[in-house]
Amino acid sequence: MTRRPRRLRRDGVRPLVSETDLSADDLIVPVFVDATADERVPIESMPGHERVPVAEAAARVREIRETGIRVVMVFGVPESKDPRGSRAWAEDGVVQRAVRRITDGTDASVITDVCLCEYTDHGHCGVLDPDAADDPVLTVANDETLDLLRKIAVSHAEAGAEMVAPSGMIDGMVGAIRGALDDAGFADVPVMSYAAKYESAFYGPFRDAADGAPAFGDRRHYQMDPANAREAVREVALDVEQGADVLMVKPALAYLNVVRAVRERFDHPVAAYNVSGEYAMLHAAADRGWLDLEAVAHESLLSIKRAGADLILTYFAEDLASRL
Ligand code: PBG
């Protein structure tokens, strides 16, 4: 036989021909900062993760830095909620305070999630459309929400965010935020768009962690239909036109074809968000002794990169980086 693929699988050769690498530089750790907590609170459905008080934000990020990871994504749980989510853009809001502490107290880079669902009392990702008040699935008023997203992004940049990441799937959000950042003197702050974000049941544990579940209805009028892949390419193209710097697909594992499609169509860096449910299910199976956690976590992240992601947001980041 002249062709024997197995020759390249011998231990001495295999690493040389490996096509995909994972490195701490490609990983981003989500961090939950909770303005209502005075001590760290473990998140039950996301083993190893916790909500930390603002005072602990820098300490938490220093732990992450020890694994070699440089970048965190900050999510906030505010002290109070209202219909417009006004604590999301407050100068003394939870994310704004946490970002100041992290940038003062560590050398990490901070990305902030720009959304309203953790800040509105109804849990939707924007202000509600009053005309839809008797609709069983109330819908978010798109263009009114853009004004709020502008304010949130600028307040995050003022606090020291290195990059902002709008996650609300509001039409025009990237362009609105880009314009607001430019006008406020933050032309150098990039926008990582949650460009193709699906209405996914895999966000369950996160919604407990960040207290951002919708109080009624669901998000299917603004997040994407899991049935659609071609539509993702159209969604992403709009964000590219509006000036997105990094394009994210979310979730990751169940949407690897979308990661691949975005990789093939665009030259921008592609990010994938390996979401809370993807993390929780591997932990749950490993707890029962059904899967080897380290092995499946590594294989999952490798697969996300192989599909075409340059960066990965993942709750496995610290475990993986400490083993690299
Ligand atoms: C919304 C947001 C969500 C996640 C990140 N940003 C939740 C949602 O859209 O309902 C989910 C992340 C995860 O599940 O790990 N601001």
Side-chain angles (χ1 to χ4, degrees):
M1 261 190 284
T2 44
R3 298 191 183 202
R4 290 183 185 272
R6 288 176 54 178
R7 285 180 198 128
L8 296 180
R9 292 178 200 146
R10 295 158 59 111
D11 282 342
V13 182
R14 204 180 137 100
L16 282 175
V17 299
S18 161
E19 299 175 26
T20 310
D21 279 320
L22 284 170
S23 127
D25 284 334
D26 308 325
L27 303 175
I28 300 168
V29 186
V31 170
F32 298 97
V33 183
D34 185 348
T36 68
D38 350 292
E39 53 184 41
R40 296 184 180 212
V41 184
I43 302 166
E44 219 172 297
S45 51
M46 296 164 67
H49 286 269
E50 45 193 10
R51 305 208 255 197
V52 302
V54 175
E56 292 271 320
R60 170 75 187 105
V61 173
R62 278 194 291 272
E63 292 163 13
I64 293 168
R65 284 290 293 117
E66 275 168 29
T67 68
I69 293 174
R70 294 180 178 284
V71 187
V72 297
M73 168 84 108
V74 172
F75 293 96
V77 180
E79 50 289 281
S80 63
K81 305 185 189 229
D82 59 44
R84 292 167 62 76
S86 61
R87 294 304 298 165
W89 62 85
E91 204 197 321
D92 62 349
V94 57
V95 166
Q96 292 78 359
R97 284 190 288 144
V99 171
R100 282 195 194 93
R101 282 180 183 252
I102 296 167
T103 50
D104 288 348
T106 78
D107 62 352
S109 296
V110 184
I111 306 174
T112 53
D113 183 81
V114 176
C115 197
L116 282 153
C117 55
E118 293 113 28
Y119 302 87
T120 52
D121 51 11
H122 44 77
H124 281 284
C125 302
V127 282
L128 297 180
D129 182 350
D131 298 334
D134 48 9
D135 189 310
V137 190
L138 278 176
T139 192
V140 164
N142 197 87
D143 299 8
E144 287 78 350
T145 299
L146 292 177
D147 284 334
L148 308 187
L149 297 179
R150 288 186 183 96
K151 294 201 253 192
I152 301 172
V154 169
S155 75
H156 289 178
E158 281 169 347
E162 181 92 30
M163 173 148 77
V164 294
S167 66
M169 291 300 280
I170 303 300
D171 290 342
M173 66 182 184
V174 172
I177 287 172
R178 181 72 272 152
L181 289 173
D182 290 356
D183 291 348
F186 296 107
D188 289 336
V189 172
V191 176
M192 172 162 73
S193 180
Y194 285 68
K197 175 174 176 179
Y198 286 85
E199 203 265 320
S200 169
F202 285 105
Y203 306 149
F206 173 96
R207 290 181 184 172
D208 299 337
D211 194 21
F216 50 81
D218 54 41
R219 306 207 203 286
R220 72 178 190 276
H221 300 295
Y222 42 106
Q223 299 182 345
M224 282 187 59
D225 183 345
N228 297 351
R230 292 191 305 269
E231 186 193 353
V233 176
R234 298 202 299 278
E235 260 290 354
V236 174
L238 291 174
D239 286 5
V240 168
E241 280 166 28
Q242 292 167 41
D245 300 283
V246 180
L247 308 172
M248 193 205 294
V249 174
K250 178 188 174 184
L253 289 174
Y255 295 83
L256 292 182
N257 61 318
V258 180
V259 173
R260 168 55 56 174
V262 174
R263 166 75 297 143
E264 282 173 358
R265 303 288 185 102
F266 304 94
D267 292 329
H268 295 58
V270 175
Y273 200 140
N274 178 219
V275 301
S276 57
E278 299 177 313
Y279 178 79
M281 67 182 173
L282 298 191
H283 265 277
D287 270 357
R288 297 184 161 206
W290 292 350
L291 289 174
D292 172 342
L293 186 62
E294 268 184 27
V296 289
H298 187 268
E299 186 178 330
S300 298
L301 299 184
L302 203 58
S303 300
I304 294 167
K305 285 214 82 180
R306 196 194 59 235
D310 301 295
L311 14 151
I312 308 175
L313 293 105
T314 176
Y315 304 98
F316 288 117
E318 288 167 275
D319 292 343
L320 181 83
S322 18
R323 273 182 279 118
L324 287 172

